[in-house]
Amino acid sequence: MDSVLETVEASLADHKAEELVRIDLAGKTDFADAMVIASGQSARHVSALADYLVEALKDQGLRPAVEGVPQCDWVLIDAGDVVVHLFRPEVRAFYNLEKMWGAPRAAAAPMAGHMPPPPPPLMMAAAR
């Protein structure tokens, strides 16, 4: 998991992801050992972050499952032991995953109107 987590964090940092948060899930859930949450400045930035990250994970021999790419409001990347959530800032503020998992987060961006529904759940077994 450590090399996957390092790859995730390095790729997101290199491509200017914002408000990067790592949440340790070991012992809290059985679907992953870590969760990484980050924001992009726009849907285009979220899309680019996802593309770069998927390529970096593929270079390590992984086959990550990806959901939410058409809209790029919320992109979910399942890299096995590490799950990555990439958001536009206002969507991230609306869903507030950090609070759900008990992780600290910087001040939330103001909510703007109706938020899109979350991406459909991944078929975790198929991603591995």
Side-chain angles (χ1 to χ4, degrees), residues 15-34:
H15 296 99
K16 310 289 189 248
E18 299 175 349
E19 295 187 63
L20 187 67
V21 174
R22 179 197 314 178
I23 301 172
D24 181 20
L25 298 178
K28 295 179 184 177
T29 183
D30 61 352
F31 69 84
D33 292 331

Side-chain angles (χ1 to χ4, degrees), residues 16 26 35 37 42 44 50 61 67-68 71 92 99 101 108 127:
K16 310 289 189 248
M35 179 183 300
I37 303 171
S42 64
R44 180 176 270 183
E67 296 288 339
Q71 294 79 24
R92 182 176 180 175
K99 183 177 180 183
W101 288 97

Side-chain angles (χ1 to χ4, degrees), residues 32-102:
D33 292 331
M35 179 183 300
V36 175
I37 303 171
S39 297
Q41 298 171 356
S42 64
R44 180 176 270 183
H45 188 207
V46 170
S47 176
L49 290 169
D51 288 346
Y52 285 120
L53 178 54
V54 167
E55 286 305 312
L57 293 168
K58 284 181 178 179
D59 288 346
Q60 284 196 330
L62 298 172
R63 295 183 325 162
V66 182
E67 296 288 339
V69 173
Q71 294 79 24
C72 290
D73 291 324
W74 178 359
V75 176
L76 174 66
I77 301 170
D78 179 0
D81 291 334
V82 179
V83 175
V84 181
H85 296 271
L86 302 174
F87 290 98
R88 285 189 307 107
E90 57 275 4
V91 177
R92 182 176 180 175
F94 182 80
Y95 288 106
N96 201 3
L97 292 184
E98 291 90 343
K99 183 177 180 183
M100 181 187 314
W101 288 97

